[in-house]
Amino acid sequence: SPIPSPRFSSLFVLTLPAETVARVWDSLICEGPKVLLRVGLALLKKCEATILMTTDVQQLSQIVTYKLRRVFDANNLLNVAFNRLGRLTSAQIDALYTEMELV
C-alpha cells in the first residue's frame, strides 16, 4: 500500500492537539496509512458546516485551523473516521493517494 507524503501526514502533527495526534499515530501504526485519509475525511466532516458557510478561502483556512486545534476528543474523531464515513476499499484509497500525488 502507498506511503502518504510527509506533507499530508504532517498536517495532523501541526494542527491537532498532541494527545489527539498520539491517538491518530497509534491507529496509523496498527491499521496502516489508510488511517490518515480516514482521519482527514473525518476532520473535514467535523468542519462541514463551517466549510459550507464560508465563502472566503483565507478566512476558511483560519477558521478550520482554529477548530482543528480544539479536537481534543480523539475517541469521537476516530469513531467518525472508522464508523461514520462509509466503506472505503483499498483500491479507492490507492486511487485517492495517486490523485493527491498528482496535485
Side-chain angles (χ1 to χ4, degrees), residues 2-5 7 94-103:
I3 304 291
S5 71
R7 180 178 53 195
D94 290 345
L96 289 169
Y97 280 132
T98 300
E99 188 177 317
M100 287 188 308
E101 289 174 358
L102 298 175
V103 173

Side-chain angles (χ1 to χ4, degrees), residues 5-88:
S5 71
R7 180 178 53 195
F8 184 70
S9 60
S10 69
L11 170 74
F12 307 125
V13 173
L14 299 174
T15 307
L16 296 174
E19 298 85 5
T20 306
V21 171
R23 286 291 306 283
V24 169
W25 284 97
D26 279 347
S27 296
L28 172 67
I29 291 167
C30 293
E31 301 287 332
K34 68 181 178 183
V35 168
L36 297 178
L37 181 61
R38 284 191 160 279
V39 169
L41 291 171
L43 290 169
L44 290 173
K45 185 71 172 164
K46 290 177 83 52
C47 295
E48 182 177 26
T50 301
I51 291 168
L52 293 174
M53 289 186 334
T54 308
T55 57
D56 180 76
V57 175
Q58 186 171 5
Q59 182 184 24
L60 174 65
S61 175
Q62 292 170 347
I63 292 170
V64 169
T65 298
Y66 174 83
K67 285 180 163 261
L68 294 182
R69 288 186 179 146
R70 280 143 189 84
V71 178
F72 290 104
D73 188 349
N75 288 332
N76 179 266
L77 175 63
L78 294 175
N79 183 41
V80 171
F82 287 102
N83 299 319
R84 296 189 188 161
L85 293 178
R87 188 168 186 271
L88 287 173

